[in-house]
Amino acid sequence: MSEDPQGPNPINRGIGRRLRLKREIAGLTQSALGQKIDVSRIKIGQYESGQIAIPASKLFLLAQVFNINVNYFFEAGDQTPALAEFEDIDPLLNKLSISLLKDFQQLDQPQVRQSLAAVMERAAELLHENNKTTK
């Protein structure tokens, strides 16, 4: 198989990044996820980097593992970006955000979750207001 001189397909990269996000939030290693869908750790890495496309049968299994709709891997939020922008649709793909999401999911009391979400929303509003006044 020859390498594409332009690099991985942007759609495959976007799908791979969404896969990596779900895997990391679930606290699974590439090896553990590979065992669940009967592929190697290396293959999971290739999926996540977009080097190879994920077969439909494996996407179906991944959706089952994460208890999500297979559409998750193709959604672009509220907008549909151009293919070149597809890789940038998920800004949550950094270690701090993933860590915060894991911690948030572990909060087992709905009132605590709602309170924390309200605090974060208010902080974002204040930051936005502050940015408006300083410009």
Side-chain angles (χ1 to χ4, degrees):
M1 175 167 57
S2 62
E3 282 190 32
D4 182 354
Q6 297 175 346
N9 178 292
I11 293 173
N12 291 342
R13 276 193 310 236
I15 291 169
R17 286 182 177 189
R18 287 180 175 277
L19 171 59
R20 188 178 113 221
L21 175 65
K22 280 295 185 189
R23 179 183 60 75
E24 289 183 351
I25 289 173
L28 293 171
T29 64
Q30 289 179 337
S31 294
L33 180 57
Q35 287 176 347
K36 290 181 180 292
I37 67 165
D38 197 29
V39 299
S40 69
R41 173 196 60 80
I42 292 170
K43 188 77 77 174
I44 295 294
Q46 291 171 327
Y47 292 163
E48 289 181 356
S49 69
Q51 289 176 324
I52 59 174
I54 305 172
S57 60
K58 296 302 181 187
L59 275 176
F60 181 79
L61 290 173
L62 288 165
Q64 289 182 321
V65 166
F66 296 119
N67 195 28
I68 57 173
N69 189 304
V70 75
N71 291 342
Y72 162 82
F73 295 107
F74 301 96
E75 291 174 355
D78 296 331
Q79 56 190 347
T80 305
L83 289 180
E85 299 171 8
F86 193 85
E87 65 183 329
D88 298 322
I89 62 173
D90 214 332
L92 295 177
L93 293 178
N94 65 61
K95 295 212 181 284
L96 179 59
S97 296
I98 290 170
S99 176
L100 287 170
L101 284 170
K102 283 182 183 177
D103 292 342
F104 187 78
Q105 284 184 329
Q106 290 177 359
L107 297 173
D108 58 354
Q109 296 178 1
Q111 291 175 321
V112 174
R113 278 185 173 202
Q114 289 172 344
S115 296
L116 181 58
V119 167
M120 294 300 295
E121 286 175 13
R122 183 62 184 141
E125 288 171 3
L126 290 173
L127 181 62
H128 183 69
E129 290 171 8
N130 188 34
N131 286 340
K132 279 185 177 179
T133 60
T134 59
K135 288 184 180 179

